[in-house]
Amino acid sequence: MMHIAKKTEPSKSKRPALRLVKTQDLSRDEWLEVRKRGIGSSDAGTAVGLNPYQSPLELWMNKTGRDGDMSKSDPNDETSPTYWGSLLEPIVAAHYTKRTGNRVRKINAVLQHPNPDYAWMLANIDREVVGANDVQILECKTAGEFGARLWRDGVPDYVVCQVQHQLAVTGKSAADVCVLICGQEIRIYRIQRDDELIARLIELERQFWRYVETDTPPPADGSESADRALRYLYPKDAGNTINFSDDTEMSATFADLVNLRADISNREELESLLKQKIQEKMGDASVAIFESGKVSFKRSKDSHGIDMNALLQDQPDLADRYPLVKPGSRRFLVST
């Protein structure tokens, strides 16, 4: 995993980016297709394994066209952070100008690194800062209740990667990140160009792009995103058996899994014992207070539903009139 240093120093000017394609008249689907031609700035953190929301494996599936009908965020879904991020971006940009006095303007193009060796490095810039000597790029962000925790110590590493990628592609020296926290707090962070970090970022991004070019999936990383990608990539089993008995690495992996599951099981039993000890002492109390915290033990509200078994006994024809087939999924079972 890449370590992101926050202390940076400005560097000398670089060549400006190429304008790969104008985006004013592009549909969202066309824009997504253009993004498959390289690693965009919002892909950078994922490509190097630092994005908490997406794994390199899922990004690889996207870049190689294997994501198909895989569930994606709907840009029109009003419950999606993506929807509110897009909707609030102009407001965040306007407030940045109000707070700093820096004028900004949109860049309606997908940018490309000017060096042919790095032609796979693309970037979309939220706003260009106009007329300021000390900063040239504005990146607008929004963070809800869940995402806000990632901003407690400043700019998250995956966003640092995104901005340094933008600075690498554009040749600029500094960017401001303006984030709206929980809809009521604006924070502005300055990120200076760090050529040492950029060199490392390019090295790791190139490794990921080789996976794309060679059509080789990158290693899974244990995330929910990787689990989702693997289940979509291999939805059905072929019924055959594969023998890893002579594969020492895979046999060691299996042994580690068995030992870890046993350890988890033992810890879960201990957790239950400790929890029950507290519950027993609480009796019918709702809350218990301790030196370092508290627990609550309250009855939830009654829920209401339909007793399907009783309903089908009374009206058995309903099962034939309203059939529902749920597609099966692969189950991972361990035997020793």
Side-chain angles (χ1 to χ4, degrees), residues 30-163:
E30 290 171 332
W31 175 70
L32 291 174
E33 283 300 316
V34 171
R35 288 189 57 186
K36 289 183 179 180
R37 293 158 61 177
I39 299 177
S41 51
S42 60
D43 300 325
T46 303
V48 302
L50 289 177
N51 190 340
Y53 301 107
Q54 188 182 44
S55 65
L57 181 58
E58 187 172 354
L59 180 62
W60 173 83
M61 290 182 65
N62 171 268
K63 297 299 180 183
T64 58
R66 285 179 166 84
D67 51 344
D69 297 327
M70 192 173 180
S71 60
K72 306 178 186 67
S73 60
D74 180 358
N76 298 314
D77 178 7
E78 295 184 10
T79 65
S80 165
T82 302
Y83 172 85
W84 289 105
S86 298
L87 187 68
L88 294 173
E89 181 183 306
I91 297 174
V92 175
H95 199 90
Y96 168 81
T97 295
K98 179 181 179 181
R99 176 78 66 86
T100 65
N102 291 336
R103 294 183 297 112
V104 298
R105 65 185 176 196
K106 294 192 71 172
I107 298 179
N108 296 310
V110 176
L111 305 179
Q112 184 180 40
H113 199 291
N115 188 330
D117 291 339
Y118 309 138
W120 44 268
M121 293 186 71
L122 311 178
N124 284 93
I125 308 298
D126 284 344
R127 298 291 190 279
E128 178 184 28
V129 180
V130 182
N133 294 325
D134 56 343
V135 63
Q136 301 82 37
I137 292 174
L138 172 64
E139 179 63 32
C140 300
K141 295 292 184 186
T142 57
E145 183 178 0
F146 174 77
R149 63 183 179 82
L150 299 175
W151 293 81
R152 283 184 301 210
D153 299 320
V155 183
D157 286 344
Y158 76 99
V159 179
V160 174
C161 288
Q162 177 179 2
V163 173

Side-chain angles (χ1 to χ4, degrees), residues 6-7 9 14 20 31 33 64 92 136 142 156 173 192 220 222 228 267-268 303 322 330:
K6 299 296 176 69
K7 183 178 179 181
E9 296 181 359
K14 310 291 180 180
L20 180 63
W31 175 70
E33 283 300 316
T64 58
V92 175
Q136 301 82 37
T142 57
S173 62
Q192 300 285 357
R228 185 168 60 247
R267 289 178 180 273
E268 287 177 344
S303 60
Y322 303 99
R330 298 180 69 179

Side-chain angles (χ1 to χ4, degrees), residues 225-236:
S225 170
D227 181 73
R228 185 168 60 247
L230 285 170
R231 289 184 179 279
Y232 188 85
L233 191 60
Y234 308 110
K236 299 179 181 179

Side-chain angles (χ1 to χ4, degrees), residues 270-285:
L270 177 58
E271 180 200 23
S272 295
L273 176 61
L274 297 175
K275 181 176 69 174
Q276 291 165 16
K277 187 175 181 180
I278 293 174
Q279 290 172 336
E280 191 173 30
K281 282 290 186 180
M282 288 180 68
D284 58 4

